Amino acid sequence: MTSATADYGWISPSAPFGYALGAGYSLVLVRGTDPEDVLRHAGAEPDGVLNGFGALAAEHADLLDEYDGWPDSTLAGVITVPGEGGEWTLLLELGGDALGLSPRFMEAVSAGTRAVSVTGNAGKPMTFLHWYEDRALRTGFEHPAHREGATPDALTALITAVGLNPVGDEPAGTDRTAAFFALAERLTGVRITGELLDQAVYRTGLVPEGTHDEDGPGL
């Protein structure tokens, strides 16, 4: 683990956030936008307030138990956090198709501002980062050597600084999830800690299936 990713050693299958690693998640950071507006852009139906990540995970587990197959909604919680240039909204979605991978959602929440997402696919070693400015994808990737967006080379120095390889494979043992979180911090100024997620009071919403799609509702 590099010095850049050491602050994200709490991201572990054995830690509370391990539930998100197993269920799949999107963590989205949006500058200067109210949490309620971020949930509205997600098409979310308000679902109350939950104290702490453990309660958010338990609520998601209960949602899964209500269905024989995959539920027709995902659970998202939002909080306000300090970052570069003022307050940011942090949205954490558990399960589902992943708001952080939805161009429709990311374009909507980044209108006139910046939005950054880190998304982990459940059960597979896949992590994605997307950086939007004013509705435009600047840089996005799963593997840093294969980037897309209007400015695919804009993050080359930062990608290298967090221990990833912008031109090839990472060295064996690279903690890619920690590196992606460290890169998101460099783009937002938001330091995400296990304590922050564990102790937060989340305003929650149920995101209906299809909201993630290009033609989905609510955006």
Side-chain angles (χ1 to χ4, degrees):
M1 181 172 290
T2 69
S3 59
T5 59
D7 291 325
Y8 293 96
W10 57 268
I11 302 174
S12 165
S14 62
F17 195 72
Y19 180 88
L21 299 178
Y25 68 92
S26 262
L27 190 148
V28 183
L29 296 163
V30 186
R31 182 172 56 200
T33 303
D34 290 339
E36 292 85 354
D37 287 337
V38 174
L39 283 178
R40 177 178 59 81
H41 283 305
E45 177 184 347
D47 192 47
V49 175
L50 293 171
N51 292 310
F53 177 78
L56 191 71
E59 181 81 2
H60 181 257
D62 289 344
L63 183 66
L64 293 179
D65 287 343
E66 292 177 9
Y67 293 83
D68 292 333
W70 197 250
D72 58 11
S73 298
T74 61
L75 179 66
V78 290
I79 59 174
T80 299
V81 292
E84 180 182 323
E87 291 186 338
W88 292 64
T89 289
L90 183 157
L91 176 145
L92 180 58
E93 179 194 27
L94 296 177
D97 297 323
L99 287 167
L101 300 181
S102 166
R104 183 172 172 81
F105 172 73
M106 292 297 291
E107 288 169 8
V109 295
S110 68
T113 189
R114 172 175 291 189
V116 176
S117 68
V118 178
T119 301
N121 193 30
K124 299 180 181 178
M126 299 170 67
T127 308
F128 303 84
L129 182 134
H130 290 85
W131 162 37
Y132 280 75
E133 294 278 350
D134 195 14
R135 293 185 175 271
L137 174 62
R138 293 289 302 276
T139 308
F141 55 85
E142 177 193 358
H143 297 290
H146 304 286
R147 302 180 296 277
E148 60 179 350
T151 56
D153 296 329
L155 301 183
T156 301
L158 290 180
I159 288 169
T160 302
V162 299
L164 298 171
N165 187 348
V167 296
D169 294 334
E170 281 81 40
T174 298
D175 188 336
R176 297 183 74 251
T177 302
F180 277 52
F181 271 65
L183 183 55
E185 180 183 343
R186 281 154 175 75
L187 286 168
T188 64
V190 176
R191 171 67 61 82
I192 303 164
T193 67
E195 290 77 14
L196 171 68
L197 299 182
D198 290 345
Q199 299 172 15
V201 178
Y202 296 91
R203 278 167 277 185
T204 66
L206 295 175
V207 182
E209 183 180 0
T211 302
H212 311 78
D213 300 335
E214 200 65 27
D215 298 322
L219 302 181

